[in-house]
Amino acid sequence: MRTDSDETLIIPATDGYPLAASIFEPDGPVRSTVVIQSATAVPRRFYAEYAADLAARGRRAITFDYRGIGGSAPPRLGGFRAMMLDWADRDAAAVSDFAATTWNTVPLGLVGHSFGGQAYGLNPHPRVSHVLGIATQIGDMRLFPPKTAAGFRFLARVAGPLAIRLTGHFPANWFGLGEPMPGDVFRQWARWCLTPDYFFGDPAIGAGARFARAGAQVHLAAFDDDTFAPEAAVRGLARRFPSAKVEVVSAAGTEAGRIGHFGFFRKAVGGALWDRFDARLG
């Protein structure tokens, strides 16, 4: 099976919802399959450069859109029912299942960006052997720079709910936070971020027991200029994996420009780090 970043494969979520995905195949032998799980409200096309680089290294790469985002969004987001937990339990879980069963003769790895790395801990797939979490953190605002925390609290309590009332969805693009997304996804995310210990403080989620099932080698990358995933928050998440082997890798901005929360996946900025982190995918 071969596709490129302009071709779409539909992978059914665990409840049957159609998820748009792209597969990047190596030209030669396949070392492993790697699922790339997006950050909140970030479409899969953002990861195309990085996925192509993985393929050039002999790794089959899969990108996909969560329900309500990019190619997996309905014609109208107003009234579309989805929760952030669906992205982990129904969407990411189904894509990892697809990869594990379709290509069961090679190792399965995972690259998670921000929430994409959290999603592994919420629903760890037993076949995933190596996880690379890029700017993956616990969203406990007590661990964030005060200005960042204050801005998000205002967004969660005031600006976000008002925007949802005006549009019927959360227009993340208004705030420089990605693509529009379902209102209920934002509400759940905001509630977690306003809760001490993030989703670990939500008894309905049972996040501690979920993370305890994770058995992969987990590598979490923290960048010194990322105010959305400060190292304290990355290390805060690392401590929540009681059974996995966890490493936190600190990295600085490069001469090519600021890495921040998104720059790692832009070849012109983060490409200089791709060699260093590829080894952590096994």
Side-chain angles (χ1 to χ4, degrees):
M1 182 182 299
R2 180 179 295 273
T3 74
D4 60 33
S5 59
D6 296 322
E7 295 178 317
T8 299
L9 172 74
I10 299 300
I11 300 175
T14 60
D15 62 349
Y17 187 87
L19 304 173
S22 296
I23 301 177
F24 298 73
E25 288 279 5
D27 288 331
V30 178
R31 298 164 55 196
S32 69
T33 299
V34 177
V35 175
I36 300 174
Q37 297 185 172
S38 306
T40 302
V42 179
R44 75 187 192 283
R45 63 179 179 271
F46 177 74
Y47 305 96
E49 275 191 320
Y50 179 68
D53 182 82
L54 289 178
R57 298 172 188 271
R59 301 188 190 278
R60 177 187 295 110
I62 305 174
T63 61
F64 70 98
D65 289 322
Y66 304 121
R67 65 187 64 203
I69 302 295
S72 301
R76 291 179 56 85
L77 276 176
F80 180 71
R81 302 304 299 270
M83 303 293 284
M84 199 169 205
L85 193 61
D86 292 333
W87 289 357
D89 285 355
R90 296 181 174 180
D91 301 350
V95 175
S96 287
D97 275 341
F98 172 84
T101 56
T102 304
W103 302 290
N104 58 11
T105 60
V106 295
L108 179 61
L110 187 148
V111 175
H113 181 201
S114 195
F115 176 76
Q118 298 170 20
Y120 166 73
L122 286 170
N123 200 334
H125 195 282
R127 276 269 282 114
V128 171
S129 60
H130 292 75
V131 174
L132 176 57
I134 301 298
T136 294
Q137 75 290 63
I138 186 172
D140 187 331
M141 291 294 109
R142 298 173 298 179
L143 300 176
F144 284 64
K147 184 177 179 180
T148 302
F152 192 83
R153 289 183 180 116
F154 178 78
L155 178 68
R157 292 171 174 151
V158 180
L162 177 60
I164 292 171
R165 285 198 294 272
L166 289 171
T167 66
H169 63 272
F170 177 65
N173 52 312
W174 289 9
F175 306 96
L177 294 175
E179 291 201 342
M181 63 183 185
D184 285 343
V185 170
F186 175 81
R187 292 186 182 101
Q188 187 171 51
W189 180 40
R191 186 167 65 251
W192 288 343
C193 288
L194 295 174
T195 300
D197 279 348
Y198 193 49
F199 49 51
F200 294 99
D202 183 346
I205 304 302
R210 290 165 172 262
F211 272 63
R213 298 198 303 269
Q217 294 187 38
V218 178
H219 307 272
L220 302 180
F223 304 107
D224 64 356
D225 58 0
D226 184 359
T227 57
F228 287 170
E231 185 165 335
V234 174
R235 292 190 178 278
L237 188 73
R239 290 192 289 270
R240 300 297 185 151
F241 286 96
S243 304
K245 298 178 181 177
V246 183
E247 172 195 33
V248 174
V249 185
S250 302
T254 69
E255 292 181 3
R258 183 178 183 273
I259 294 178
H261 199 57
F262 300 96
F264 176 85
F265 294 100
R266 298 186 176 108
K267 188 172 184 177
V269 178
L273 296 172
W274 291 354
D275 273 336
R276 175 184 174 190
F277 284 98
D278 184 71
R280 291 176 166 85
L281 285 171

